[in-house]
Amino acid sequence: MNQQKRIEILKRLRAENPSPTTELNFSNPFELLIAVLLSAQATDVGVNKATGPLFAVANNPADMLALGVDGVKDYIKTIGLFNTKAENVIKTCRMLVELHGGDVPEDRAALEALPGVGRKTANVVLNTAFGWPTIAVDTHIFRVSNRTKLAPGKTVEAVEQRLLKVVPAEFKVDVHHWLILHGRYTCIARKPRCGSCLIEDLCEYANKIEL
C-alpha cells in the first residue's frame, strides 16, 4: 500500500460521504460522552434507544447525578454491562460537576481520568465534539486498516499511530467516521462485500469475495 493509493481511498470515501459523523444520537458534548461510554460492547442502535428517554430527562451532569445509579439503570438496562456502566456514568458526572464546572473538558488527560473513559472514548469525544484530528480505533477500524493494508498494525494503538502517520491532515478529522462506516456496512467481519465496495480496486486484501 503506497501513499498514492491511500490518498485515492480517502478521496473516494470523502466523495461518497463529505460530512460524516457518528451514528450515536447526541445534542451536546455531555450527551456524546455518555453515549460513547455506554456503547462499549453494544450497538449504536441499542444505545440510541436507551439514551433517547434518558437524555430527555437528564442531558447534563447535574440532572444525571440527581437520577442516581438506580435511576440511570432503569433507562439503560437493555444495554450490556448496564450495572457497571450506570455506576461509571454517575461517578463521571460527579467528577464533571466537582472538577470541571459541569462541562466536558476539551483535554485528553482530563477525559481519560473519568471512570469508564479510555483512550478510544476520549478520542471520539475530542474528534466529534471538539473537531480534533484524533482517530479512535475500534474493531471496525482495526479490521479495515489491516484488511485493506491502509494502516496495518498488531494492536489498536499501533493502528492508531500508523493512521495518524499516513493520513494527510485534510482527511484526519473525518477518517475515523469513514472507516467505521465502511467496516460496519461494507468491509464487514465474516463476509466483506467486496463486489459492491468503492475502493475494491485499491484494497490489498488477498481473499476478496466477489458478491
Side-chain angles (χ1 to χ4, degrees):
M1 176 65 63
N2 59 43
Q3 194 65 356
Q4 185 178 354
K5 271 189 181 181
R6 290 191 185 97
I7 291 171
E8 182 58 29
I9 285 172
L10 295 168
K11 283 182 175 178
R12 290 188 193 179
L13 294 173
R14 179 172 63 186
E16 184 189 45
N17 189 358
S19 302
T21 190
T22 178
E23 292 187 316
L24 292 168
N25 295 333
F26 72 99
S27 62
N28 61 41
F30 172 73
E31 289 186 358
L32 176 64
L33 172 65
I34 298 304
V36 178
L37 192 155
L38 296 175
S39 70
Q41 299 180 40
T43 66
D44 287 0
V45 172
V47 172
N48 288 337
K49 285 181 180 178
T51 57
L54 174 62
F55 292 156
V57 298
N59 73 339
N60 61 72
D63 288 348
M64 194 73 73
L65 265 178
L67 287 177
V69 173
D70 289 338
V72 171
K73 284 182 185 179
D74 286 340
Y75 286 96
I76 68 168
K77 56 191 174 185
T78 56
I79 299 175
L81 307 175
F82 72 93
N83 285 311
T84 299
K85 289 177 180 178
E87 292 177 6
N88 284 336
V89 165
I90 292 301
K91 290 175 183 175
T92 286
C93 289
R94 185 169 293 113
M95 288 180 67
L96 291 175
V97 169
E98 294 177 355
L99 302 178
H100 303 289
D103 294 326
V104 174
E106 189 178 343
D107 178 86
R108 177 184 297 282
L111 286 169
E112 291 187 18
L114 299 171
V117 177
R119 182 176 180 85
K120 186 180 78 171
T121 298
N123 275 335
V124 173
V125 173
L126 291 171
N127 175 270
T128 305
F130 299 115
W132 284 33
T134 57
I135 302 174
V137 177
D138 69 350
T139 55
H140 296 300
I141 294 180
F142 184 80
R143 180 176 66 254
V144 171
S145 296
N146 276 288
R147 186 182 272 168
T148 63
K149 303 297 190 288
L150 178 70
K154 292 184 177 180
T155 66
V156 166
E157 188 154 351
V159 169
E160 178 188 337
Q161 294 306 317
R162 184 69 176 152
L163 284 168
L164 288 169
K165 182 178 180 180
V166 302
V167 173
E170 66 176 295
F171 303 108
K172 272 202 174 84
V173 170
D174 293 325
V175 68
H176 160 80
H177 300 297
W178 290 327
L179 295 181
I180 282 181
L181 295 171
H182 192 66
R184 187 171 286 164
Y185 297 112
T186 302
C187 197
I188 56 180
R190 291 187 180 179
K191 191 178 284 188
R193 295 168 178 152
C194 301
S196 60
C197 175
L198 64 96
I199 62 167
E200 181 187 7
D201 58 314
L202 301 167
C203 168
E204 297 186 0
Y205 181 47
N207 303 304
K208 291 177 182 173
I209 299 171
E210 300 297 335
L211 292 177

